Amino acid sequence: MTAANLRARVRAEMTEEIKQVAQRHLATDGANLSLRAVARDLGMASSAVYRYFASRDELLTAMIIDAYEAVGAAAARADAAATVASSPAVAPVERWVAISHAVRDWAVANPHQWALIYGSPVPGYEAPQDTIESAIRVIMLLAGVLRDALAAGELPAVPGQPAGRFGEELAAVAAQFGLDTPAHLVGATMYGFVHLCGAISTELYGQLNNSIDEDRRGFFEWQMRATAAFAGLR
Amino acid sequence: MTAANLRARVRAEMTEEIKQVAQRHLATDGANLSLRAVARDLGMASSAVYRYFASRDELLTAMIIDAYEAVGAAAARADAAATVASSPAVAPVERWVAISHAVRDWAVANPHQWALIYGSPVPGYEAPQDTIESAIRVIMLLAGVLRDALAAGELPAVPGQPAGRFGEELAAVAAQFGLDTPAHLVGATMYGFVHLCGAISTELYGQLNNSIDEDRRGFFEWQMRATAAFAGLR
DNA sequence: GCCACGACGAGAGCACTGCTCTTGCATGGC
DNA sequence: GCCATGCAAGAGCAGTGCTCTCGTCGTGGC
């Protein structure tokens, strides 16, 4: 190992350490992440952090990517577990529900990270291209459930596509991602994803207070089964 | 008018002026509202603002209440217009769609205000009780559509309530607000509201980028008609 | 009519923030 | 052995929320 490689490794470790401390601050203090406070926790000058992240926004971007990775990984794990668990043929709706629960569980456990990726954008911050490939993992999992269900002949045939310009856009999305699913299934996927985001955000941001206070998990599952039914799963 | 009343009026006008300038800043700069910048725009010292708002959070709270009022009023206006427009008997689903479009139109026109009330909470900020009565206006309008449709016999009968603890909570909500609608309709109302929030937030926060870029309004309406159908409207 | 009181505005100041610039230090390659 | 390079630290700038004090000015009570 050359010295340059060693230096790069030390640098990567330091970067990781900064991110970890920043994530701890994020989890406790919320989105108003203070670079100086992170530096203090690490026992170094605030200016030293700028050797690793050019700006606070860049640090936030790194945390956004990590958050997308984490929630996507949690959802993928749940999907895999649900798929395997049903050795003969699990109902696709159970995969749909398992993915949704995994996302919600992650969000409840990491509310500030959720807000970072699916909440209102940080002021003055614009998501760079780095994040988009991480951002679509959850929705691609949902799309996969419908694709498999369609292949297994478990979805009712719906001719045509939703009427309107957006129907063509849905068809274009299917083509773009190489999905051999009709446009209305792409729409149903996005419909489910939209509701997933809405259900979690309304719950986390207090819109359900004084209405559903006890069985939020049950209410959530009821909703997600409704979106699955809209897609044709049952 | 006594002098005290005059003073109170001057004070109210000044308070209103501060809120207007703050709203202008909010609309352009986003949620990182600077009290000092507002004071500069008003040509007064920053400390003078504290005569009217005890803290930045209090100013934000005032703007949150105003935002709830604005979106609720827009939705109520659209509902009233849709109801009147259909002099003999407009399909209830059109009222549902009209309310939804009004909320979305307002959100698209005032994205930062939307983020303020339905986005991730401002760091360190907790919504005070003042906001909750303003917050439920939109969802009460949606509930009203279903209530009227039920009274007109336009909803299919669904016996019982959703199974689970949350079903009881839904029934309790119906009782709490004096709604004579069954629990599953309360659930459908909240389902529609959740999707409304999710659809608008995903659109505003860029989750639809590179998928639905042209006909977002059409995609939104398609979604809201689906939530109406879930409630039994068609 | 006067005067005290209270509301108000302005300014200074504190602690904090993101970010930049300069300086010193240490280490590895020649 | 010397030098270049990467790193850390400190000072400093402009900005923030918020507090405190002080001067002013209009108003209500006497």
Side-chain angles (χ1 to χ4, degrees):
Chain A
M1 160 171 330
T2 75
N5 282 354
L6 184 135
R7 246 220 274 272
R9 205 187 58 184
V10 168
R11 183 180 174 83
E13 282 173 7
M14 192 70 205
T15 305
E16 195 57 37
E17 200 167 347
I18 293 175
K19 285 204 297 186
Q20 280 178 12
V21 173
Q23 179 159 354
R24 240 174 38 218
H25 278 238
L26 206 63
T28 61
D29 294 355
N32 47 357
L33 181 66
S34 162
L35 222 148
R36 290 179 106 113
V38 171
R40 271 196 302 272
D41 260 26
L42 286 164
M44 60 201 239
S46 66
S47 55
V49 178
Y50 285 86
R51 296 266 169 201
Y52 301 90
F53 295 95
S55 70
R56 180 174 166 275
D57 270 7
E58 199 172 283
L59 177 56
L60 275 178
T61 300
M63 319 224 49
I64 286 174
I65 295 176
D66 281 10
Y68 273 125
E69 291 293 328
V71 68
R77 250 180 287 121
D79 185 27
T83 308
V84 171
S86 63
S87 28
V90 73
V93 63
E94 300 305 329
R95 281 177 64 192
W96 185 276
V97 170
I99 292 171
S100 304
H101 268 311
V103 174
R104 176 180 169 275
D105 290 344
W106 182 88
V108 169
N110 309 278
H112 292 110
Q113 270 94 318
W114 173 267
L116 209 55
I117 55 180
Y118 290 118
S120 29
V122 181
Y125 173 81
E126 203 55 38
Q129 288 301 93
D130 307 1
T131 66
I132 61 171
E133 60 256 40
S134 309
I136 59 173
R137 287 187 61 183
V138 169
I139 199 166
M140 289 305 284
L141 287 172
L142 293 178
V145 174
L146 296 190
R147 173 179 30 79
D148 294 351
L150 182 69
E154 309 198 43
L155 285 181
V158 175
Q161 65 189 23
R165 178 82 182 85
F166 75 94
E168 305 169 23
E169 294 193 89
L170 290 174
V173 169
Q176 176 187 347
F177 288 104
L179 292 171
D180 50 351
T181 50
H184 71 88
L185 274 192
V186 178
T189 304
M190 297 184 64
Y191 178 90
F193 179 74
V194 163
H195 200 96
L196 176 65
C197 290
I200 294 175
S201 288
T202 49
E203 174 177 344
L204 287 185
Y205 303 157
Q207 304 287 345
L208 263 51
N209 288 353
N210 306 319
S211 304
I212 309 293
D213 295 307
E214 306 257 346
D215 189 18
R216 290 182 169 174
R217 187 181 173 87
F219 182 56
F220 174 79
E221 182 169 329
W222 179 74
Q223 292 180 83
M224 295 321 295
R225 287 188 185 275
T227 65
F230 175 68
L233 296 179
R234 51 202 82 226
Chain B
M1 160 171 332
T2 75
N5 283 354
L6 184 135
R7 245 220 272 267
R9 207 188 57 184
V10 168
R11 185 182 173 82
E13 282 173 8
M14 193 69 206
T15 305
E16 195 56 38
E17 200 166 348
I18 293 174
K19 285 203 295 185
Q20 280 178 13
V21 173
Q23 178 159 354
R24 236 173 42 216
H25 277 238
L26 206 63
T28 59
D29 294 353
N32 47 357
L33 181 66
S34 163
L35 222 147
R36 292 178 106 114
V38 171
R40 270 197 301 273
D41 260 26
L42 285 163
M44 62 202 244
S46 66
S47 55
V49 179
Y50 285 86
R51 297 270 172 203
Y52 301 90
F53 295 94
S55 68
R56 181 174 166 275
D57 270 8
E58 199 171 282
L59 177 56
L60 275 178
T61 300
M63 318 221 53
I64 286 174
I65 295 176
D66 281 8
Y68 273 127
E69 291 293 328
V71 68
R77 248 180 288 121
D79 184 27
T83 308
V84 171
S86 63
S87 27
V90 73
V93 63
E94 300 305 329
R95 281 177 66 192
W96 185 276
V97 170
I99 293 171
S100 304
H101 267 311
V103 174
R104 176 179 170 277
D105 289 344
W106 183 88
V108 169
N110 309 278
H112 292 110
Q113 270 94 315
W114 173 266
L116 209 55
I117 56 181
Y118 289 118
S120 29
V122 182
Y125 173 81
E126 202 55 37
Q129 288 302 93
D130 307 2
T131 65
I132 61 171
E133 61 256 39
S134 308
I136 58 174
R137 288 186 62 184
V138 169
I139 199 166
M140 289 305 283
L141 287 172
L142 293 178
V145 174
L146 296 190
R147 173 178 31 78
D148 294 351
L150 181 68
E154 310 199 42
L155 284 181
V158 176
Q161 64 190 24
R165 177 82 182 86
F166 77 94
E168 305 168 24
E169 294 192 89
L170 290 174
V173 169
Q176 176 187 347
F177 288 104
L179 293 171
D180 50 352
T181 50
H184 72 88
L185 274 192
V186 178
T189 304
M190 297 184 65
Y191 178 90
F193 179 74
V194 163
H195 200 97
L196 177 64
C197 290
I200 294 175
S201 288
T202 48
E203 174 177 344
L204 287 185
Y205 303 157
Q207 305 286 345
L208 262 51
N209 288 352
N210 307 321
S211 305
I212 310 291
D213 295 307
E214 306 259 345
D215 190 17
R216 291 183 168 173
R217 185 181 174 89
F219 182 55
F220 174 80
E221 181 169 328
W222 178 74
Q223 292 180 82
M224 295 321 295
R225 287 188 187 276
T227 65
F230 175 67
L233 295 180
R234 54 201 83 226

